[in-house]
Amino acid sequence: MKRTLGTCYYPEHWPEEIWEADARRMADAGLTWVRIGEFAWSRLEPTQGNLQFDWLDRAIEVLGKAGLKVVLGTPTATPPHWMVEKHPDMLAVDVNGHPRKFGSRRHYCFSHEGFQLESDRIVQLLAERYGDSPYIAAWQTDNEYGCHDTVLSYSNAAKKAFGLWLARRYGSIEALNRAWGNVFWSMEYASFDSIDLPNLTVTEPNPSHSLAFRRFSSDQVVAFNKRQVDIIRRYSGAPISHNFMGRITEFDHFKVSDDLDIATWDSYPLGFLEDRVGATSEHQRLYARQGDPDFQAFHHDLYRAAGNGRWWVMEQQPGPVNWAPYNPAPLSGMMRLWAWEAYAHGAEAVCYFRWRQAPFAQEQMHAGMLRPDNADAPALIEARQVRDELHDAPDVETSPAPVALIFDYDADFAWATQPHGAGLSYFQLVFEAYKALRSLGLSVDILRGETRDFSGYQIVAAPGLIYMSQDLKKALAESNAEVVLGPRTAARNADMVIPVPLPPDMPGLEVTVARVESMRPDMPMPLKGGGNLVSYREELEGAAGTFLELEDGQIAAMRQDNLTYVGGWCDGLAWKRVFKMLCDEAGIETFDLSGGVRCRDAGNIRIWTNYGASPSDTPAGRIDAAGVLFERL
Amino acid sequence: MKRTLGTCYYPEHWPEEIWEADARRMADAGLTWVRIGEFAWSRLEPTQGNLQFDWLDRAIEVLGKAGLKVVLGTPTATPPHWMVEKHPDMLAVDVNGHPRKFGSRRHYCFSHEGFQLESDRIVQLLAERYGDSPYIAAWQTDNEYGCHDTVLSYSNAAKKAFGLWLARRYGSIEALNRAWGNVFWSMEYASFDSIDLPNLTVTEPNPSHSLAFRRFSSDQVVAFNKRQVDIIRRYSGAPISHNFMGRITEFDHFKVSDDLDIATWDSYPLGFLEDRVGATSEHQRLYARQGDPDFQAFHHDLYRAAGNGRWWVMEQQPGPVNWAPYNPAPLSGMMRLWAWEAYAHGAEAVCYFRWRQAPFAQEQMHAGMLRPDNADAPALIEARQVRDELHDAPDVETSPAPVALIFDYDADFAWATQPHGAGLSYFQLVFEAYKALRSLGLSVDILRGETRDFSGYQIVAAPGLIYMSQDLKKALAESNAEVVLGPRTAARNADMVIPVPLPPDMPGLEVTVARVESMRPDMPMPLKGGGNLVSYREELEGAAGTFLELEDGQIAAMRQDNLTYVGGWCDGLAWKRVFKMLCDEAGIETFDLSGGVRCRDAGNIRIWTNYGASPSDTPAGRIDAAGVLFERL
Amino acid sequence: MKRTLGTCYYPEHWPEEIWEADARRMADAGLTWVRIGEFAWSRLEPTQGNLQFDWLDRAIEVLGKAGLKVVLGTPTATPPHWMVEKHPDMLAVDVNGHPRKFGSRRHYCFSHEGFQLESDRIVQLLAERYGDSPYIAAWQTDNEYGCHDTVLSYSNAAKKAFGLWLARRYGSIEALNRAWGNVFWSMEYASFDSIDLPNLTVTEPNPSHSLAFRRFSSDQVVAFNKRQVDIIRRYSGAPISHNFMGRITEFDHFKVSDDLDIATWDSYPLGFLEDRVGATSEHQRLYARQGDPDFQAFHHDLYRAAGNGRWWVMEQQPGPVNWAPYNPAPLSGMMRLWAWEAYAHGAEAVCYFRWRQAPFAQEQMHAGMLRPDNADAPALIEARQVRDELHDAPDVETSPAPVALIFDYDADFAWATQPHGAGLSYFQLVFEAYKALRSLGLSVDILRGETRDFSGYQIVAAPGLIYMSQDLKKALAESNAEVVLGPRTAARNADMVIPVPLPPDMPGLEVTVARVESMRPDMPMPLKGGGNLVSYREELEGAAGTFLELEDGQIAAMRQDNLTYVGGWCDGLAWKRVFKMLCDEAGIETFDLSGGVRCRDAGNIRIWTNYGASPSDTPAGRIDAAGVLFERL
Ligand SMILES: [Zn+2]
Ligand SMILES: [Zn+2]
Ligand SMILES: [Zn+2]
C-alpha cells in the first residue's frame, strides 16, 4: 500500500460552483483522500425529518470523479438545534451541574437514549444511501470523541445508565458496597438506582466510585461508536475509522478501535505543545514553532497499536491553529517533517486539516492548505513536496521495535481518580518514559494493557499499571524481555482497593512496597549516578537486588532476573539511565540524542527528523532545522 | 466657564441636623458642585408606591441655599428589595447561569421590561418634582453603568430581547445564518426566538454570535439610559450626565454620551493601578501611591471626546479606597495633582468622592474629604489648595492636539470575542500606543470610530480596528495626516467574518496580511533598531515599502504615502519609535519623558505633572514628587 | 492523671474474627483509649428505623474486656443515603447555590430541622444504650465540625434560620437596617424573613450582613453540638468531647467547648504544612517531613484553653496522609516528637489515627499504626517508645506561662468578612505573633476573647481584635501586664461599623488611627532597627510615645504606660523585637531559637524539641534531628 496524502473538505461551506475546481486542485496536489460530511447534519436534515441529501450526492460525485477517494463522516458531533429543542435533556451536564448548551459542537450526552436513536437514524440513512457508492472509500464515525471534555457527563441520563452499568458489573448492591468499602463513612447504597454520580460531593468521593464512573463513561463511548459501526457495516464494505484527538484519555481508544478498521488521529503539534504536552515554559519556547519532538511520535505508535497496524493522521496541522492559548506559525518545513514522522511510524495516510481556511465561525483563524482568498498557503506547498518525495518512496511499512511500552487507559482512569500527589498523571508518566526511549534513538511499539504475548521484544516497559491482573503479571514475568515495572504497579485491585499481600506481589520478584509518599515537585530526590526521583516515591523491601539507590542511601529500584521495579517517579535522566543500562545488557544499540533530533526505523530506512530550530549533526550526517534525513540501513 | 470643584454627598446617611453645617463647610472649601441622590431609592420609596420626597426637598434646599449647585442622580442603580420581590426575574444572570442577587448594587438586567418601567416611573417622579428647581444644576442618570461586570446578562429577559434585536438587524433568520456562517458545525437556527445566549457552550461559541451579543448588550445600556434622559428632558433644561467608570468597555460610552450633555467619569488612580491598568508588578510598586501616569489622562481625553468637549471627573479618589486588592494611601500632593491633570485635559469640574467617609456598609474603608469623626481628611486639605490655585487660573480650556488616536468600543467587543492570543485586548493595545505618545510629551485627542473628518491632525493613530467601514478607510486614506494602522486593521467584516480580498484591503496601501500568529508573551520578536513585537504578529505582503524590520529579516511594518501599517503588537519602545519617526517627519516637537513626568497643553499653558516618588527635571524646570508645574507657552 | 496513648478504630471495617487480636495488640502497645463509632450510622441503621446495635455491643465488649477505654462517637457526620432521600433539602448549599451531595461525609446543613431531629434520635439511641456501659469512658460528638468548609451553608433552611436569628438579635427590622447602615445602596429590608443570604451578590455584600451570617453560622454549630451533649448527659456521666480540626475558624470552638468536658483536636503536622499553615515554599521544603515547629503548639495551647485545661490530641498523624496536595512520610522520630510536644502542652491523651490503614475508600492512602497487611507501621513502633517513656514520666501537667495571647473567633469572622488587603487573615496575624513568642523560648497561654482576668501574666498580646467591648478595654488597661494591641484593635463596633471617636479609643492610651492602608506584599515597609511592617499599615496620631519607627520616619508603634499599640502587620522579626523589648523590661528570660528548635515548660521539666532535619545545640545540650530533650528546671 502506497503512503498517501489527503485533506478535509466542507462542500457545504462553499458555493457549489467551485467544488469542481477545488477537487481538481486537490488531485493536482497529489492528494488521495478527502474527508467530508462530519459536521453537516443541519444541511442533511434542516428540520426534523426533512432530508436533504442531494447536495451531498453531488459533492461526492464531483470529488469522486476528480479521482479522489472520499471518507464520509457521520455528522453526530453536531446535532442540529431542532433536536436539542426536541430533547432538551440530551445535553451533557458539567461537573457543577450546568447543562452544556447548544452553540458549538459535541453538545450531547453519550447516555441519552433519545439522542442515541437520532444517531442510529442519521447513520442508517447515510449508510443506506452511500453504502455502495464507488466513491466512498472509507467512513468516519462522529468526530473527536471526548474533545472539549465531553466524556464525563453528570446528567440524569448518565445517572440512570450508570446504575444499570453497575448492576451488570456487580450483580447485587451488597457486592458493590463490599467491593467499594462503602462502609467507610456510611456510604452504603440500598439499590443501584439510588447511586449518585460522583460530583459535587462535600469532599472527594470514594475512589472506587469515581473509577467506576470513569470506566462506565468510557464504555458509553465505546457503545455509542459501536452502534454506528454496526449500522454502517450492514450497508458498506469500506473500512471504518474514527479520528481520535491528542491526549484525550477519558475513554479507551483501544476498545473503540476494536470495532473499527483503521485508527486515525488529529495531530496538532503546535497547539498541543501550548495546551497539553505538559512541558516547561522553556521547552515551550524552544519548540514553539516545531512542536514537541516526541508527542506526535507517541500518538503515532499508540494508534498503530489501536488500529492493529492500520492508522492515519486524519487531521494534520497546516499552519497556525485558532484554539490554543498562543497560536504560532510553524517553522518552514515542519508540515513536511510532520508528514514524514507519521510515515516513519507506519501511517497509511496524512490528511491536512483543512482544504481552505473558513473565513467564518469558530475556526476562522485556523489555517488551511488554501488561504481564504484561495491563494496557496504554506501547507499546500509543503504537501506538494511530500507528494514528490512519496513518488519513489517505499510502501507503508514499519520496522519491528526492540522495545515495547504498555499504555493502558484504565490505568489512566485510576491515576486521574487518585493522583496521590498534585499534578501527577499516568499519561505524563508513560510519556516521559517514551521520551527517554526515543532520545536513546530507539523505535518503540506501544502495547495495550490486554497484551499477553511479548515475544519479539527485548525490553517491555510497563510503568504505572496501578491494576494488573494475575495473567498479565504471569505473562510479563515469564516473557523473555527485560520488564520494567513501577511505580504503583498492581497497587490496587480491580475495584481500586489496596490488595494484601501488598503490591506489587509479582511472581518472581521479591519486592514489597512498604509505604508510599508524594513530595512537592521542588524537592527532587537525587539518585546516585545522576537523575532524580521526583514528586512520588515508594519504600521498597524484599530480597530482590538493588538496581538504583538514592543519594541518601535508600533504594530507588530493585531487580530480580528479568524484572526491574522502579520505586518512584523518574525524571528524564533517570528513565534514560534505566533504559540505557537494560539496553546495554541486551545489546541494543542506542544513541544519545540531544536537542530536537530524533529517528525512527521504517523498513530498511531510518528516518531522521530535526525538531530543532538550527541544523544538527546525526550519526547519518548533518540535518537542517526542520529537516528530514533518510538513512538506508 | 471657570474650572470648578465638587463632591458627592449622601444626606440620607446623616442626621438632618448636620446637613447645614456640612453644606457650609463644602462652600467654604470652595466646592461648587454637590452630587446627591443616586443610591436613595429605598428612602424615596420605602415600599411600593409609598413616596417620601420631603427629605430630599429639604436636602436640596439646604445645599442650594448654601450656594452649592446640585447634581441630582436617578437612583436606578439600587432598586429596593421590595422591587426584587415583585420582579424576581429582574436580576441579571451570570455566565454560569446563576442569578446575581440583591444585597449590593446594580442588581438588575438591562433587558427586563418590568424593571425598565420601574425606572421610567421613578425618573419621571424625580424629573417632575425637581425639573424646575433652581438648585438642580445638572442631572446624573443611574451610576457607573457596567461596574461589577453588569452589562452582559444571561437572563431570560436578555434572551428574548436579543432575539428581537437580531430580528431587527438581520431581517430573516436565513440572513443571520448566512452572515454568521452557522453552517459550520450545524449551528443553524430556525427562528430568532430559538437563538440561545452564547454562554455555557461546550466549546467557544461562534464569534459572530458572541460579537452580536456584545453589541446587543451595549445597545441595551444605551436604550436604558436614553429612556431616563428623554423623561428628564421633558421637565428640565439642566444638563444631563452619567458617571462612567474607568476601563469599562462592555458598552459604547460614545453612544450613551450622544444622549447626554456632559460626560463624566470616576477616577480612582490607585485602585485602578491595582485592579485594571494591566501593569507589571514592578510598575505597580513604583506607582502604588501615585497611580499610573497615563491611565487617567487617557480617560480624560476619552470623555472629552464622548462629551463633545464637555466633561467632568464626577468622582475623584480622595485617599485609600476599599475595593482594590490592595488599597494604599496616596502620596501627599496627589489629590491636587490629579485635579490639575483633569483641568489640563479640559475638565469643567473635579468632584471628590465622597464628602464624609461612611462608617458603615460596603465602602466604610473608602476615604472621604472628611474622616468619619468629621476631622479634615487630606483630600479636603489638598482641595483647598486647588481652590486657591483656581482663583487666578484661566477658564476651562484645551489646546488643539497634533495627534489623534481612535478608540472604538465595537473594536473592543471584537477583540474580547476573539483575542486570538491569551490576554490580548484592544483597550491594552490602544492604551500602550497612548502611553507612547504621552511619553513623547504629546497632547492627544481621542476620536471615536465614527469620525470621518481628521482635518487639523498631523498624525492619526488607529490601531486594532478589527472592523473598518469603507468610508472610514477612505476618510483615513484621503486625510492629510500620517495614519498609523494595524495590527488587525479591517481583519473582519461587520459580522466578524474574514473578508476577501484579505485585510487590510486599504485604498492606497498595497499591504496584505497573509497570515497571523500569536506567541507566548515570553517570546518577544526584536526589531532592528530597538523595541519588540510581542504576543502577536502578522506576515505582511505587498508593494508598500518596509518601515520596520524584525531582526530575523521579516517585515514588521510597511508604509505607503501617508499610510503606515504595523504588523504586530508593539511594546512601548516600538510604539515610541514609530511615533517618533512620524513626528520627526511631520515636524512635531517631542520630548523623551522617562519616569513619571508628563505634560499636557491647556490653552497657552503647559501643565507638567510628576507621578514619580522623587523630584525630576523637566524642560520647564525642576518638579517635585507629586508636583505640578505651570509653563506658559 | 497519667499521660496516655490511644488510637481510632473501626470495627465495622474488619471481620469480627480479628477484633480480639486487634484489641490485644492495642493493649500490648500501651494504648489506653480507643475511639469508635463515629462514621457507622449506615451500620447502626441500615434502613430507616432498622436498628442494628448488636455488633457495636460486641465490639465495645471486646475492646473493653481487653482493658481499653472506649470513646464512643456519635455518627452524625455521615448520614446514610436513605436519610438524604428522605430529606433531600438537608444537604448544605455552596456559595454558588449548588447542593453539596451525598458521597463522602459532612453532607448536612446545620440549620435543617429534619436532620436535627434525626441527629437527636440517633444520639438518644446511643446514649440510652451505652450511657451506663462500664467500657464507655468518654463520648465524642460528630466529627470535625467545619471540615471541608461545612459551616457556611446557603440553603433555604439556613436562610429561614438566619432570619429568626436576626430577629432575636435585633428585635426590629428598623434596628437591623440602622445597625447595618442599609440605607447605603438602598439595601433596607422590610422584614426579617425577606433577608437573603450574602452570596451571589453583584459586588460584595454589606460587611455587617456578612459578619452576621458568619456569627449565625457559628451559633448553628454550637446549638447543634449542644443538642447532642444535652441528650448524652441525660444518660451518661462520662466526659464528652469533640475532635476539632486544625485551622478551622468558621465557628467558635470556645463556645462549642463550653458545652463539652474535654476539647480534642486532630493534629496532622505534614498535611497542614502543605495545605493550611500558610508558609512560604522554602519553609514548606524545610519542614516537609517534620511539620511546622509552631502550628501544633499553637493548637495545643488553643484547645487547652477551650477545654479549660482538659484536652487531647484525638487524631495524631501516623505517617503519610492522603488528603494534602503532597503527602510525604514523616522523618523517623517525628511521631514520637509530636506526642511529646502535646504532652509538653498538657495533653491528657494522644491517639494515633488510625489503628490499621484501610485498604478501601477515601482514606486508603492514609497511614495507620498497622499496614493494611497487618505489619507494624512506623507509628506503632514510635508509639511503643512513647509508652516506655511515659512509664516513669510525671503526670499531666503544665507550667504557668508568663505570656498570654488572645485568640478570638469573632475577630476571625470580621477579618474574613473584610481582610481589607488581599490575603490578610486574623489567624495568620495571631499565629505569626505566636511564632515570634515561641521562637523566644516562651511558654504561652492562649486566652479567649471573653477573658477579663489577666492576673498572673506579665505580657498579654491581643493583636487584631477588630471589635473590643468596653469591659475588655478596661480589663486590659487596668491589668498588671504589658498589653500589646493593634493593628485594627477596636476598629469596628459590634455590628461591623467604624466607631466614633476613631479607634482604638482605648482608656489610658492616647493613640488614634487616623487612616489605614493596605499594600502589595512585595512592598515591605522597613522599621528602624530591623523587621518590617508588611501589607497593612495605620497612621497613628496622639500623645502616646513612639515605640517603633519606620525608616521613613513615620510612627509604627506607640506606647503609654502598660499599653503598646502596633500600627501595622508585623513580619516575624518585627514581632520578635516587640516582644523581646517588653520581655527585657519585664525581666522575662528569652532565648533566640533559630531553625527548628523549640521548648515548652511542663511542670518542672522543660521539654525541648527539634523540628530540624539535622542536630542542633540548645541551652540544655545537643538535640538530634526529630529529637526530644528533657531538661529539669
Ligand atoms: Zn463609585
Ligand atoms: Zn451553578
Ligand atoms: Zn480526621
Side-chain angles (χ1 to χ4, degrees), chain B residues 518-568:
Chain B
S518 56
M519 304 298 293
R520 303 175 49 84
D522 55 6
M523 295 182 71
M525 294 159 274
L527 291 162
K528 285 182 187 164
N532 297 280
L533 298 187
V534 286
S535 297
Y536 178 82
R537 197 181 69 87
E538 298 173 344
E539 280 180 35
L540 304 184
E541 296 175 351
T546 297
F547 185 67
L548 282 177
E549 246 180 37
L550 290 172
E551 286 194 354
D552 67 8
Q554 301 200 62
I555 299 171
M558 300 179 85
R559 189 172 177 210
Q560 191 167 4
D561 302 322
N562 71 324
L563 301 176
T564 300
Y565 188 93
V566 179

Side-chain angles (χ1 to χ4, degrees), chain B residues 110-404:
Chain B
F110 283 100
S111 297
H112 189 271
E113 292 178 7
F115 177 66
Q116 288 165 359
L117 294 171
E118 301 278 6
S119 163
D120 290 351
R121 191 175 54 78
I122 192 73
V123 172
Q124 169 97 13
L125 287 164
L126 283 163
E128 276 177 1
R129 190 173 191 106
Y130 302 111
D132 53 8
S133 162
Y135 303 128
I136 302 299
W139 295 82
Q140 176 183 294
T141 55
D142 202 281
N143 182 77
E144 294 177 350
Y145 290 134
C147 197
H148 320 306
D149 196 15
T150 48
V151 173
L152 302 180
S153 166
Y154 298 88
S155 69
N156 284 332
K159 179 177 188 300
K160 190 179 143 198
F162 184 44
L164 295 170
W165 184 93
L166 290 169
R168 279 195 303 277
R169 183 176 174 99
Y170 290 100
S172 77
I173 194 69
E174 293 75 21
L176 177 146
N177 283 328
R178 208 165 37 239
W180 292 8
N182 275 341
V183 61
F184 196 86
W185 292 355
S186 282
M187 297 176 296
E188 290 164 306
Y189 293 99
S191 67
F192 287 107
D193 60 8
S194 67
I195 298 177
D196 287 313
L197 300 181
N199 66 322
L200 292 173
T201 50
V202 174
T203 183
E204 56 170 338
N206 189 333
S208 298
H209 187 180
S210 294
L211 177 58
F213 182 62
R214 285 185 173 268
R215 285 171 173 161
F216 153 77
S217 299
S218 173
D219 283 359
Q220 295 300 91
V221 179
V222 175
F224 181 85
N225 181 69
K226 185 168 191 307
R227 286 170 82 129
Q228 295 206 358
V229 169
D230 287 349
I231 293 166
I232 295 168
R233 289 221 194 283
R234 260 179 252 136
Y235 300 93
S236 171
I240 306 175
S241 68
H242 174 76
N243 61 330
F244 298 101
M245 187 59 174
R247 198 174 181 167
I248 299 283
T249 56
E250 285 83 7
F251 68 95
D252 191 325
H253 298 206
F254 290 112
K255 286 190 185 160
V256 167
S257 297
D258 284 344
D259 297 316
L260 302 171
D261 302 297
I262 303 172
T264 82
W265 82 288
D266 297 348
S267 176
Y268 292 95
L270 305 195
F272 292 155
L273 181 62
E274 294 293 348
D275 86 346
R276 67 192 69 180
V277 165
T280 60
S281 294
E282 192 197 338
H283 190 81
Q284 285 182 306
R285 277 194 301 275
L286 213 52
Y287 293 103
R289 296 186 179 287
Q290 305 101 282
D292 180 82
D294 303 303
F295 195 79
Q296 292 72 247
F298 178 88
H299 285 82
H300 296 339
D301 287 331
L302 175 66
Y303 293 108
R304 189 174 67 253
N308 254 312
R310 295 205 62 190
W311 77 278
W312 299 12
V313 173
M314 185 59 96
E315 300 183 9
Q316 175 60 65
Q317 177 162 356
V321 298
N322 64 299
W323 45 263
Y326 309 104
N327 299 293
L331 204 63
S332 183
M334 286 312 299
M335 284 156 309
R336 168 187 170 239
L337 183 153
W338 295 328
W340 275 109
E341 184 74 84
Y343 295 134
H345 288 259
E348 298 177 0
V350 174
C351 303
Y352 291 92
F353 178 89
R354 48 188 279 159
W355 176 242
R356 185 188 295 104
Q357 182 174 351
F360 43 72
Q362 279 90 336
E363 293 179 354
Q364 57 185 243
M365 309 209 54
H366 192 300
M369 304 185 85
L370 305 186
R371 303 194 322 201
D373 66 352
N374 256 347
D376 290 0
L380 185 59
I381 295 159
E382 296 192 21
R384 286 202 195 102
Q385 183 183 351
V386 176
R387 171 199 62 193
D388 295 343
E389 292 168 336
L390 285 180
H391 202 262
D392 304 311
D395 274 10
V396 173
E397 61 186 337
T398 44
S399 303
V403 180

Side-chain angles (χ1 to χ4, degrees), chain A residues 94 96-98, chain B residues 94 96-98, chain C residues 94 96-98:
Chain A
D94 73 17
N96 292 313
H98 304 147
Chain B
D94 72 18
N96 292 314
H98 303 147
Chain C
D94 73 17
N96 292 313
H98 304 148

Side-chain angles (χ1 to χ4, degrees), chain C residues 213-491:
Chain C
F213 181 62
R214 285 183 173 271
R215 285 170 173 162
F216 153 77
S217 300
S218 173
D219 284 358
Q220 295 300 91
V221 179
V222 175
F224 180 85
N225 181 70
K226 186 169 190 307
R227 287 169 82 130
Q228 296 207 358
V229 169
D230 287 349
I231 292 166
I232 296 168
R233 288 218 194 283
R234 259 179 255 137
Y235 300 93
S236 172
I240 306 175
S241 69
H242 173 76
N243 61 328
F244 298 102
M245 187 59 175
R247 198 173 180 167
I248 299 283
T249 56
E250 285 82 6
F251 69 94
D252 191 326
H253 298 205
F254 291 112
K255 286 189 185 161
V256 167
S257 298
D258 284 344
D259 297 316
L260 303 171
D261 302 297
I262 303 172
T264 82
W265 81 289
D266 296 347
S267 176
Y268 292 94
L270 306 194
F272 292 156
L273 180 63
E274 293 294 347
D275 87 346
R276 67 193 68 181
V277 165
T280 61
S281 294
E282 193 197 337
H283 190 80
Q284 286 182 307
R285 277 195 299 275
L286 214 49
Y287 294 102
R289 297 186 179 286
Q290 305 100 279
D292 181 82
D294 304 304
F295 194 78
Q296 291 70 249
F298 179 88
H299 285 82
H300 295 341
D301 286 332
L302 176 66
Y303 293 108
R304 190 176 65 253
N308 254 311
R310 294 205 64 188
W311 76 279
W312 298 12
V313 173
M314 185 61 94
E315 301 183 10
Q316 175 62 62
Q317 176 161 359
V321 298
N322 64 299
W323 43 262
Y326 310 104
N327 298 294
L331 203 64
S332 183
M334 288 310 299
M335 286 157 304
R336 168 188 170 237
L337 182 153
W338 295 328
W340 275 109
E341 184 75 86
Y343 296 134
H345 289 260
E348 298 177 359
V350 174
C351 304
Y352 291 92
F353 178 90
R354 51 187 281 158
W355 176 242
R356 185 188 295 104
Q357 181 174 350
F360 44 70
Q362 280 90 338
E363 293 180 354
Q364 56 184 242
M365 309 208 53
H366 192 301
M369 304 185 85
L370 304 186
R371 304 195 321 202
D373 65 352
N374 256 346
D376 290 0
L380 184 59
I381 295 160
E382 296 193 21
R384 287 202 195 103
Q385 182 182 354
V386 177
R387 171 200 62 191
D388 294 342
E389 291 169 335
L390 285 180
H391 202 262
D392 306 310
D395 275 10
V396 173
E397 61 186 336
T398 44
S399 302
V403 179
L405 176 64
I406 296 180
F407 185 81
D408 182 51
Y409 287 91
D410 195 69
D412 195 85
F413 305 161
W415 280 72
T417 293
Q418 185 184 70
H420 192 50
L424 301 182
S425 89
Y426 173 73
F427 179 92
Q428 207 68 36
L429 178 78
V430 177
F431 181 54
E432 289 179 17
Y434 181 86
K435 285 182 89 72
L437 290 165
R438 196 160 139 87
S439 69
L440 290 166
L442 296 165
S443 294
V444 178
D445 280 349
I446 287 182
L447 304 180
R448 64 196 291 181
E450 290 84 350
T451 310
R452 295 298 175 267
D453 176 4
F454 299 99
S455 54
Y457 296 107
Q458 291 171 275
I459 295 179
V460 175
L465 282 179
I466 200 165
Y467 167 65
M468 198 180 260
S469 67
Q470 282 312 113
D471 57 316
L472 176 54
K473 286 182 176 179
K474 197 159 165 287
L476 286 168
E478 294 176 358
S479 79
N480 292 318
E482 288 292 340
V483 175
V484 181
L485 302 165
R488 296 189 94 178
T489 296

